Amino acid sequence: MTAILDLKSVSKRYGKKLVLDGVSVAFQPGLTLLTGPSGAGKSTLLRLCATAERPSGGDILWAGQKLPGARERLRRVLGYAPQAVDLPEELTAREFVLHLAALKGLKTGEADRQFLALAEAVGLHADANNRISGFSGGMRRRLVLLQALLGQPQLICLDEPTAELDTDSRQRVAALITRAAQSAIVLMTTHLEDGVATQARAVLRVDGGRVQPA
Amino acid sequence: MTALASSFSTSMARYGRSFGLWLLLLIAPIGARFLVAGPGATSSIISAEGRIPVLTSAFMGAGLGIIIATLLLPVAFIYLRSNVTRRQPWQVEEVAPASRVAIAYGRWAADSAVLLAVLAATTAAGVVLAYLMLPPEEVNPAVIAFCLWVIAGPAVVLVASLRTLFEARRWTRGPLGEVLYFVFWLGSIVVVAAAQDAHGFAASMIDSTGFMQPVAYSLGGDDSFVIGGGDLVADGATNRIHLDVLAGILSDGYLASRAAWLGIAALVPLFAGLVYLPHRPGRARRKPLIPWARLLEPGSPPRADPNARPARLAALGWLNLLASEVRLLVGRGGVLALLVIAAAGWFAPYSTGAGPAAMLVLVFAATAHAGRSEQKGLLALTRTGTFTPTARRFAFIAAALLWTLTASAGAVAHAALAGGDPVRLLLEAGGVGLVTGGTAIGLGALTRSATAPRLVLLIAWYAYLNLGGSLPAGG
Ligand SMILES: Nc1ncnc2c1ncn2[C@@H]1O[C@H](COP(=O)(O)OP(=O)(O)OP(=O)(O)O)[C@@H](O)[C@H]1O
Ligand SMILES: [Mg+2]
């Protein structure tokens, strides 16, 4: 059974700017879409859920335990695809993903097997052993998505995974995300009315520091 | 694979695939040729009592080791900070369950391995040079390697350690890291020079670079030696001095102190991993460390206004380019700093006051601006503009020139009215502006980062500050 991610009056401020203002929401297994205008705080919310930042107020609970304490436990079952990553240009896609797999504590053989399957699914298999420096914007996006799905995580936070993708890739990615959402909590921000939207169990709107059903 | 092993091997792969590493490995042996004072040499980087030391196998190794451990350490630091591994995928690494200590040790080991490879290349060059310069029976490769590695080994590993440490905290990831390293480097040499006569373990522990004991030991007492080209006495090149560096290296406490420094260096990544602070995510600009540090940073470029009228000077494209470079360089707070410095020139001697002050502010503004404008993506963007990147670089240098000329206004005015030499002041200010601007944009373009120009220019600034006192006062 997958645990639940519970936010209790979570707020986040940068300097004087209050980006999230007392957000309370519980994320269940399945796909949850986060929409809202640019700058509303979607990425900020994902960063908090993905332990990349700490809230300024309120609590985040993973499987009933408060976050800074339960952070290591959550990180072991976490997949996170940020909006932008400083990719190591000199490494190949495979080396990069295997490195992150090592940081997640996966065995190399198992990680490599998963990498090949995921590369096939996102359409990167032909470029698996090419250096990232030659990758296009869409390929980079898919690579970042790929590493987030490694190791069957239970919480998957995806920040605009379908941006910059063509229709074909978008469909592949949507299918992959839908499949992952069968056994995990998937939080995904998006601007577009994706094909994925129909598969979502919830669509939330982030605006004015609040999170509401769309 | 473990987090440590993976951090090590990915770093090594990235180093190996970058062209900078091979350049570094090539520079070391070529440099060695010019650093060693062979039999016919008339000058030497290391001299004692105004004489060039006799070349022996031991001195070949120790000499190269000392030069690396003193003069060339900033190069090693620059290389580590500005090479391919300066960009890390921290956005995903920082949410991984791996221990930061393991990652720090993996990267530190790779950094150390790269610098030790440079030592190996230099050692090989030293052996070859020894065979060329010494009678074959006097060449002892083991002694050359031993002397070189004992001195320079712990010193370069410590550079890797400091790099790792500076990577761990937010402030030191930026310009402050270079400033701190510069202070540490200068401090380590100055402190040692002050403690020349002492021997033994404790005295050697003051000397993280390890250059003092091997030279000072056989000189004994208060004899002076100079690293970095001191003046020779009349027959200093022909009637050479014999330095028994091996005796110094084997003297009481020295080897133990080198081992201790290596141990300290090896503990730093542990500390760095423990105090690691995640990067600040999001797109906000870094807050300056101290409020007035804002003056040292160029402000953000003016907000684009889609409704703005076309610039009146649009026809004078070049002038526009220059104006925008000046604006980017000076930034918001820069104007105030510039005015203060220009005004101060009226009151204080230029070469020790306003001149170095103007250069220091310019160093930070110019390297930050150069580092940003030489990013790959941005270059691709500017290439589509009216001006080529080269034209923009020239405008950048012109803007730096304008900066120092403006900063010298007070001093020049004072000199002109008080019967000084305003032309010499203008030349000095202009020269500093051209060198600073040219170095910032040149090294910035070569390394695509602000680290290399910043550290090189800080050293140049220090030299200028010291030189300034010996120049005839113009103000
Ligand atoms: N590190 C930071 N420091 C200061 N302000 C920040 C920081 N990160 C984000 N912000 C601000 O917080 C607000 C929310 O940003 P966020 O990136 O979460 O928006 P978003 O909804 O993801 O927008 P987009 O759809 O454009 O990605 C913005 O106004 C942004 O300027
Ligand atoms: Mg966003």
Side-chain angles (χ1 to χ4, degrees):
Chain A
M1 211 215 74
T2 307
I4 286 173
L5 186 73
D6 209 355
L7 276 64
K8 294 204 157 114
S9 8
V10 166
S11 59
K12 180 71 191 176
R13 59 170 69 244
Y14 293 110
K16 291 194 191 76
K17 185 167 188 174
L18 192 60
V19 178
L20 296 176
D21 182 10
V23 171
S24 293
V25 55
F27 295 113
Q28 315 267 352
L31 176 63
T32 302
L33 285 189
L34 300 170
T35 62
S38 184
K42 304 183 292 294
S43 300
T44 305
L45 185 62
L46 274 197
R47 281 201 298 269
L48 296 180
C49 294
T51 74
E53 271 190 291
R54 293 197 193 187
S56 319
D59 288 314
I60 302 179
L61 287 82
W62 173 245
Q65 289 182 297
K66 282 195 190 172
L67 248 203
R71 196 168 63 189
E72 288 311 309
R73 237 158 54 82
L74 172 53
R75 284 182 174 176
R76 252 176 261 136
V77 292
L78 169 75
Y80 176 42
Q83 212 164 349
V85 178
D86 288 332
L87 293 171
E89 307 281 331
E90 307 76 22
L91 296 183
T92 68
R94 187 184 201 153
E95 288 167 333
F96 170 59
V97 172
L98 290 185
H99 169 60
L100 293 177
L103 297 191
K104 286 184 178 181
L106 297 183
K107 292 242 172 351
T108 311
E110 171 61 17
D112 203 28
R113 212 183 46 70
Q114 288 188 23
F115 166 74
L116 291 175
L118 286 169
E120 181 89 45
V122 299
L124 277 181
H125 48 287
D127 298 286
N129 292 314
N130 291 341
R131 293 202 196 160
I132 297 172
S133 54
F135 278 27
S136 70
M139 290 162 80
R140 284 160 193 261
R141 246 328 132 170
R142 283 178 279 156
L143 179 59
V144 171
L145 170 70
L146 189 165
Q147 62 79 30
L149 299 177
L150 204 68
Q152 277 119 22
Q154 293 175 30
L155 173 65
I156 304 174
C157 301
L158 308 173
D159 207 342
E160 300 190 18
T162 54
E164 293 179 271
L165 299 188
D166 57 45
T167 322
D168 185 43
S169 307
R170 192 168 290 160
Q171 270 160 9
R172 281 167 181 275
V173 165
L176 194 60
I177 292 173
T178 311
R179 187 145 45 88
Q182 285 167 4
S183 57
I185 304 174
V186 180
L187 309 181
M188 169 176 161
T189 68
T190 175
H191 277 295
L192 310 145
E193 285 315 314
D194 271 310
V196 217
T198 56
Q199 311 288 327
R201 59 173 291 281
V203 180
L204 301 179
R205 185 175 166 79
V206 184
D207 203 357
R210 306 241 157 216
V211 176
Q212 252 125 31
Chain B
M1 217 179 331
T2 64
L4 194 157
S6 179
S7 300
F8 173 75
S9 63
T10 47
S11 290
M12 288 308 281
R14 297 181 76 183
Y15 275 122
R17 287 167 198 173
S18 76
F19 136 92
L21 175 64
W22 306 106
L23 195 66
L24 194 69
L25 289 177
L26 204 66
I27 286 174
I30 294 175
R33 171 65 194 81
F34 296 96
L35 299 173
V36 173
T42 53
S43 68
S44 169
I45 292 190
I46 302 173
S47 61
E49 295 176 6
R51 300 178 188 282
I52 301 180
V54 178
L55 190 63
T56 60
S57 279
F59 190 73
M60 174 68 81
L64 287 173
I66 289 170
I67 290 166
I68 290 175
T70 54
L71 303 179
L72 297 185
L73 274 198
V75 177
F77 185 78
I78 289 173
Y79 175 70
L80 294 183
R81 286 265 285 200
S82 60
N83 84 88
V84 288
T85 64
R86 77 176 185 281
R87 276 168 55 104
Q88 298 288 357
W90 55 267
Q91 293 91 343
V92 279
E93 284 185 338
E94 285 176 356
V95 299
S99 122
R100 283 315 312 191
V101 172
I103 298 173
Y105 267 113
R107 302 231 161 106
W108 169 79
D111 287 354
S112 300
V114 161
L115 295 183
L116 293 177
V118 174
L119 285 199
T122 314
T123 308
V127 172
V128 172
L129 284 176
Y131 274 111
L132 294 175
M133 292 175 173
L134 290 174
E137 67 276 7
E138 284 180 29
V139 178
N140 188 338
V143 168
I144 295 175
F146 176 70
C147 294
L148 197 155
W149 283 66
V150 159
I151 296 172
V156 297
V157 172
L158 193 60
V159 172
S161 302
L162 288 176
R163 192 262 170 136
T164 308
L165 183 63
F166 290 176
E167 244 20 38
R169 303 297 293 188
R170 282 178 189 160
W171 292 345
T172 50
R173 281 178 196 134
L176 189 68
E178 274 104 59
V179 175
L180 281 182
Y181 183 75
F182 172 69
V183 169
F184 172 82
W185 174 70
L186 206 63
S188 65
I189 291 177
V190 171
V191 166
V192 175
Q196 263 202 49
D197 311 337
H199 300 296
F201 178 75
S204 298
M205 278 312 286
I206 296 176
D207 181 12
S208 68
T209 53
F211 72 86
M212 174 59 60
Q213 196 82 319
V215 188
Y217 186 79
S218 68
L219 285 172
D222 52 12
D223 296 301
S224 63
F225 66 89
V226 180
I227 296 169
D231 291 331
L232 297 181
V233 297
D235 64 343
T238 46
N239 185 10
R240 296 191 170 195
I241 185 169
H242 185 79
L243 285 182
D244 191 355
V245 287
L246 207 51
I249 288 174
L250 297 175
S251 73
D252 229 18
Y254 180 77
L255 283 177
S257 81
R258 298 317 284 153
W261 270 112
L262 199 59
I264 291 171
L267 283 178
V268 171
L270 172 66
F271 180 68
L274 293 177
V275 302
Y276 186 88
L277 201 65
H279 287 69
R280 204 184 295 277
R283 57 204 97 172
R285 231 165 63 81
R286 269 186 317 102
K287 258 226 183 96
L289 169 59
I290 18 187
W292 52 262
R294 210 184 283 278
L295 295 179
L296 300 183
E297 290 187 20
S300 47
R303 197 176 284 278
D305 176 5
N307 300 318
R309 285 179 302 128
R312 249 171 296 147
L313 291 174
L316 300 167
W318 264 96
L319 212 59
N320 255 342
L321 179 62
L322 182 59
S324 76
E325 284 296 321
V326 168
R327 220 167 25 233
L328 285 169
L329 191 62
V330 176
R332 259 173 315 194
V335 179
L336 180 64
L338 201 51
L339 290 179
V340 169
I341 293 169
W346 180 274
F347 305 100
Y350 182 75
S351 298
T352 49
M359 178 172 173
L360 190 61
V361 178
L362 180 61
V363 164
F364 284 99
T367 53
H369 178 29
R372 268 183 290 130
S373 60
E374 293 295 339
Q375 296 298 322
K376 231 198 213 142
L378 200 57
L379 277 184
L381 193 68
T382 55
R383 211 163 272 134
T384 63
T386 323
F387 293 100
T388 63
T390 313
R392 191 183 44 71
R393 287 181 194 127
F394 276 110
F396 178 94
I397 297 176
L401 178 64
L402 267 179
W403 171 292
T404 47
L405 288 182
T406 310
S408 71
V412 170
H414 187 267
L417 295 176
D421 187 353
V423 176
R424 200 199 61 74
L425 280 178
L426 279 173
L427 285 178
E428 179 182 331
V432 169
L434 286 178
V435 168
T436 307
T439 309
I441 199 74
L443 277 180
L446 270 179
T447 63
R448 300 223 184 291
S449 93
T451 302
R454 201 179 282 135
L455 200 49
V456 166
L457 283 171
L458 276 175
I459 293 169
W461 168 78
Y462 186 73
Y464 176 46
L465 188 68
N466 284 308
L467 200 68
S470 59
L471 290 177

